[in-house]
Amino acid sequence: RKEVEQDPGPFNVPEGATVAFNCTYSNSASQSFFWYRQDCRKEPKLLMSVYSSGNEDGRFTAQLNRASQYISLLIRDSKLSDSATYLCSTGKLIFGQGTTLQVKP
Amino acid sequence: NAGVTQTPKFRVLKTGQSMTLLCAQDMNHEYMYWYRQDPGMGLRLIHYSVGEGTTAKGEVPDGYNVSRLKKQNFLLGLESAAPSQTSVYFCASSYSDYYEQYFGPGTRLTVT
């Protein structure tokens, strides 16, 4: 079993839609959680750190569920510019394979 | 603040040739990493370093060597390139393995 698993998608959604991704992790001792965004042919960039209490940054909300061992990313009011691959990480050099989002006009 | 830079951005090698990829960071980070990313696959860790003078193997270290002689630089070497090493190589750095990583722009390597 992989340490971090993501549905690769692609998730195809219309502009304005709300979309959510989950990322499950196997190591219950994980302490740090992150979401990165990677545009086509570019490097990954930090989107959000994920805190135990959950956190929000504009249209983006990240949640941590320790009991079920997953983190989630919710994107509200999707924009065309949100089209990218979203990678989750549990720190300690562990990344998921990424979930691809395509927002259509 | 340049962040993380990588040299070169593109390179084409013939099978059996050697080359060195250079990564530099100006954030005084202790940890540095080399990943490769192939189409449809996630990031795979090649080697990493937890401080000047240290290196450690990652998930896919075969065919690569690394050195960290200075804190700000992390070099990745291919001694005898193979077509299977055609990939995009990303360098990254962080304060520790609990903190977020900062990535360089990548090096696109083709081995023919």
Side-chain angles (χ1 to χ4, degrees):
Chain A
R1 182 186 172 188
K2 293 180 181 176
E3 290 197 56
V4 174
E5 295 205 48
Q6 295 183 253
D7 181 344
F11 284 60
N12 294 302
V13 303
E15 265 187 299
T18 295
V19 62
F21 313 132
N22 282 345
C23 169
T24 58
Y25 61 93
S26 60
N27 185 355
S28 60
S30 297
Q31 296 292 323
S32 308
F33 304 90
F34 308 97
W35 282 104
Y36 290 80
R37 171 190 169 128
Q38 185 174 23
D39 292 304
C40 188
R41 301 175 71 81
K42 298 283 192 180
E43 74 272 25
K45 292 184 179 178
L46 180 70
L47 178 67
M48 302 176 73
S49 300
V50 186
Y51 305 121
S52 297
S53 55
N55 47 307
E56 186 174 312
D57 182 3
R59 298 181 292 108
F60 298 83
T61 300
Q63 298 277 358
L64 167 63
N65 185 316
R66 283 197 183 274
S68 300
Q69 294 187 203
Y70 73 87
I71 62 173
S72 64
L73 178 68
L74 181 77
I75 305 175
R76 290 181 297 278
D77 189 22
S78 299
K79 311 290 184 191
L80 295 176
S81 58
D82 293 334
S83 297
T85 296
Y86 293 84
L87 304 169
C88 67
S89 173
T90 58
K92 305 295 277 185
L93 287 58
I94 307 297
F95 284 86
Q97 284 197 307
T99 296
T100 298
L101 172 67
Q102 291 281 357
V103 181
K104 306 289 188 183
Chain B
N1 247 4
V4 180
T5 57
Q6 291 184 232
T7 309
K9 288 186 170 51
F10 304 92
R11 186 72 186 266
V12 178
L13 287 179
K14 293 188 188 304
T15 297
Q17 288 184 319
S18 64
M19 78 164 293
T20 300
L21 282 67
L22 171 64
C23 176
Q25 52 96 3
D26 61 3
M27 294 174 282
N28 203 33
H29 286 165
E30 290 293 337
Y31 283 58
M32 295 188 74
Y33 318 88
W34 276 107
Y35 296 92
R36 61 177 288 174
Q37 188 175 43
D38 301 295
M41 300 187 72
L43 296 164
R44 290 189 289 170
L45 183 66
I46 304 171
H47 286 280
Y48 64 101
S49 168
V50 302
E52 182 178 312
T54 75
T55 62
K57 293 180 180 180
E59 179 187 355
V60 289
D62 294 341
Y64 306 94
N65 57 74
V66 288
S67 64
R68 183 112 181 257
L69 299 179
K70 292 184 179 181
K71 185 176 183 179
Q72 63 267 35
N73 295 337
F74 195 28
L75 278 63
L76 178 71
L78 287 73
E79 290 187 345
S80 180
S84 60
Q85 293 177 306
T86 293
S87 189
V88 179
Y89 292 85
F90 289 107
C91 176
S93 71
S94 67
Y95 284 111
S96 82
D97 54 2
Y98 284 104
Y99 284 78
E100 67 271 23
Q101 295 186 24
Y102 294 82
F103 286 81
T107 295
R108 299 185 183 282
L109 175 67
T110 302
V111 183
T112 61

